[in-house]
Each structure stands twice: as C-alpha cells, then as structure tokens.
C-alpha cells in the first residue's frame, strides 16, 4: 500500500526525515522506490530534464499524465514492501485560470493515474482560492513557494527571501498554505534560517530544496543528484557524475565493436579486443 499524504505529517510528528525524489518514467521511479524514498514527485522539471525545454512552462497536462502513469508502473514493478506516496505536479496554466479548471486538471491526475496528490506553485490569493477548492473536493495538495520555476519570467532562478519584506511575505504565504489545507509545502531556494523558522512554526511538513537542512524533509530532482543534467542548480550538487560515467562506459562499448566483415588478421589495433 503506498504512503498517504497524512503519513508525511506522521513522520514530522515522529521527528523522522522525509525524502522526496522526482521520477519521470518507469525506470527512474523503480530506482527511486528501491532507494526507499518516502514520496515520488513527477515534477514539471521533467519539461527541462527529460523533454529538453529551456523552462518548465511548455509541458502539458497530457504529457504530465503520460509520465505519471509510466512512473507509477515503475514504482509498482519495484515491488518493495514500502511504496512511496506518488505526487504529480500541475503544469503551468492547468490551474491558474480558475478553480473549476484546477479541479478538472487535478481530477484528471487522480482519475487517470495512481497519484494520490498534486503539487502546485504559489500562494497568491487566487492560488489560495484554487487550493481551497481542490482540498474541499478531496484532492490533497502540496504547496510550493520561494523559487517557483513557473514564474521564471518574473523571478528568474534567483534565491528568494533575501529582504526582510520578502521573508515576511514568505512567512505569510507558508501560513496561508497551511491554513487552506495543504498537507505539506516545498520551500525552494530560500535562506536556511527562514526555512528553519517555518519548520518550527508550521504543523505541516516543510520540504526543502536549496533551503538548508532545517526542514522536515528534502526534495531533489533525481537527475541532478545523479549528475545527469547539463544545467546543475548550484543548490543541488550531484552525488555522482552519472552523465560522464555513463558516456565513458558507452564509449568503451562502442570502441570495442567490430564489424563482422573485418579481416580476422586485421593489424593489431589498440581497441579491437574481439576481432
Ligand atoms: O518540478 C520539480 O521537480 C519540482 C521540485 C524541484 C520541487 O518542483
């Protein structure tokens, strides 16, 4: 049985760290499940990581559903006793236009995939009204404030909460997200002291990325941790150089290939071990 949104709150209450990793297909979800993540986020970062877009804006709801179903299959196939909570991002413009459209979009996520929750960005009054409507419709929502990549054309990818005014605004937003019924909130690229303060003041779990260690949990883009991306965020260093390691291993395999018509007595060449 996969974890439920409420299980993340139980982990916070028990003082246990919460791990959230992104996945975008069956193989990444299986790896993340086998690693023991508490939750899998099918994040709209897949627009950049997997689909090659330069921002997260172009990815569509249909594409998110497609990737979420693939991730769910990989998660189930991993056949771990412990199945993570599956959360799917609502992509740009699938929820901003009206609460009705947001319910329709989030409803599709819950009806057409095994995801048990959605995540969306922001805490402006209109977004809070959307979240309120989703929560009242029985749809668990994870909030996301600080650096919000869907607002890249306004905020860039800069750290947020650098001034007292912006810190106060983030505190108000975090509290509002809790009050409107979010089961957890992602804090992206904000000062760690502010994240620590929010971790203390909120009852719901705060999940950080680029927000220091004083959070209830951490979320990372798995491709960043594995060193697979070409655009590594400065606040999310790789654990391994997966891209370089993979390319090197494949280069070795390619270098060892021989053509079947190659003469058996080919002059000894350094990279022709089986000819
Ligand atoms: O889309 C994503 O991967 C995210 C994480 C960075 C939190 O929103």
């Amino acid at each position: 049985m996969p974890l439920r949104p409420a299980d993340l709150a139980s982990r916070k209450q028990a003082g246990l760290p919460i791990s959230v990793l992104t996945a975008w297909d069956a193989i990444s979800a299986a790896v993340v499940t086998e690693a023991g993540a508490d939750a899998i986020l099918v994040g709209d970062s897949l627009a950049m990581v997997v689909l090659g877009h330069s921002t997260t804006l172009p990815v569509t709801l249909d594409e998110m559903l497609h990737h979420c179903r693939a991730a769910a299959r990989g998660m189930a196939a991993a056949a771990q006793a412990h199945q993570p909570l599956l959360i799917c991002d609502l992509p740009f413009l699938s929820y901003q236009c009206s609460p009705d459209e947001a319910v329709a979009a989030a409803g599709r996520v819950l009806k057409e995939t095994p995801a048990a929750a959605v995540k969306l960005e922001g805490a402006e009054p209109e977004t809070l009204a959307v979240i309120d409507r989703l929560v009242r419709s029985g749809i668990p929502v994870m909030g996301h404030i600080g650096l919000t990549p869907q607002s890249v054309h306004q905020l860039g990818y800069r750290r947020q909460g650098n001034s007292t005014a912006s810190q106060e605004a983030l505190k108000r937003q975090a509290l509002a997200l809790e009050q409107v019924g979010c089961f957890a909130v992602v804090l992206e690229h904000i000062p760690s002291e502010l994240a620590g303060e929010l971790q203390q003041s909120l009852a719901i779990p705060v999940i950080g990325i680029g927000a220091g260690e004083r959070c209830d949990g951490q979320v990372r883009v798995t491709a960043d941790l594995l060193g697979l991306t070409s655009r590594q965020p400065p606040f999310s260093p790789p654990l391994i150089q997966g891209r370089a390691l993979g390319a090197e291993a494949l280069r070795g395999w390619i270098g060892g290939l021989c053509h079947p018509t190659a003469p058996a007595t080919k002059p000894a060449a350094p990279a022709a071990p089986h000819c």
Side-chain angles (χ1 to χ4, degrees):
M1 180 75 177
L3 260 64
R4 304 244 146 245
D7 294 322
L8 300 195
S10 306
R11 287 188 71 84
K12 173 168 181 147
Q13 281 149 19
L16 296 170
I18 299 164
S19 54
V20 185
L21 286 168
T22 67
W24 52 87
D25 61 8
I27 206 162
S28 56
V31 169
V32 162
T33 304
E34 283 162 17
D38 298 308
I40 289 182
L41 171 67
V42 180
D44 62 356
S45 57
L46 72 82
M48 299 168 78
V49 171
V50 178
L51 303 179
H53 294 297
S54 58
T55 71
T56 60
L57 304 190
V59 70
T60 65
L61 180 60
D62 282 332
E63 287 169 331
M64 291 301 297
L65 295 171
H66 172 79
H67 285 276
C68 191
R69 283 190 290 264
R73 287 190 288 269
M75 186 177 120
Q80 296 290 107
H82 167 95
Q83 289 275 300
L85 166 67
L86 185 62
I87 307 165
C88 184
D89 259 350
L90 288 183
F92 182 58
L93 286 197
S94 67
Y95 61 92
Q96 286 93 341
C97 297
S98 74
D100 283 350
E101 287 185 39
V103 172
R108 283 194 68 194
V109 172
L110 265 59
K111 279 171 82 83
E112 298 177 30
T113 82
V118 297
K119 175 170 82 56
L120 56 84
E121 296 181 8
E124 297 306 320
E126 298 78 9
T127 315
L128 293 172
V130 158
I131 296 172
D132 180 52
R133 183 68 189 287
L134 292 175
V135 172
R136 285 164 180 272
S137 308
I139 300 172
V141 178
M142 176 180 250
H144 181 164
I145 54 173
L147 192 173
T148 45
Q150 292 180 12
S151 307
V152 61
H153 296 309
Q154 265 178 343
L155 305 178
Y157 292 117
R158 284 186 298 278
R159 189 172 88 146
Q160 302 297 304
N162 296 320
S163 66
T164 311
S166 127
Q167 295 202 0
E168 290 308 315
L170 284 166
K171 286 182 202 171
R172 280 195 300 276
Q173 290 180 352
L175 187 62
L177 288 174
E178 172 167 278
Q179 284 172 344
V180 82
C182 285
F183 69 88
V185 60
V186 169
L187 304 176
E188 181 164 356
H189 208 14
I190 67 166
S192 63
E193 306 71 41
L194 175 59
E197 229 179 284
L198 293 172
Q199 185 276 335
Q200 289 289 309
S201 60
L202 297 187
I204 58 172
V206 303
I207 313 292
I209 172 166
E213 289 175 1
R214 294 165 56 191
C215 299
D216 298 300
Q218 298 288 332
V219 54
R220 291 293 183 275
V221 174
T222 299
D224 290 340
L225 281 188
L226 297 181
L228 295 173
T229 42
S230 52
R231 279 174 289 211
Q232 192 82 34
F235 51 82
S236 182
L239 298 171
I240 55 167
Q241 299 296 336
R243 193 182 177 105
L245 286 170
E248 192 186 321
L250 295 175
R251 209 176 298 118
W253 179 80
I254 291 167
L257 289 179
C258 297
H259 193 272
T261 61
T265 55
K266 197 169 138 186
H274 306 299
C275 297

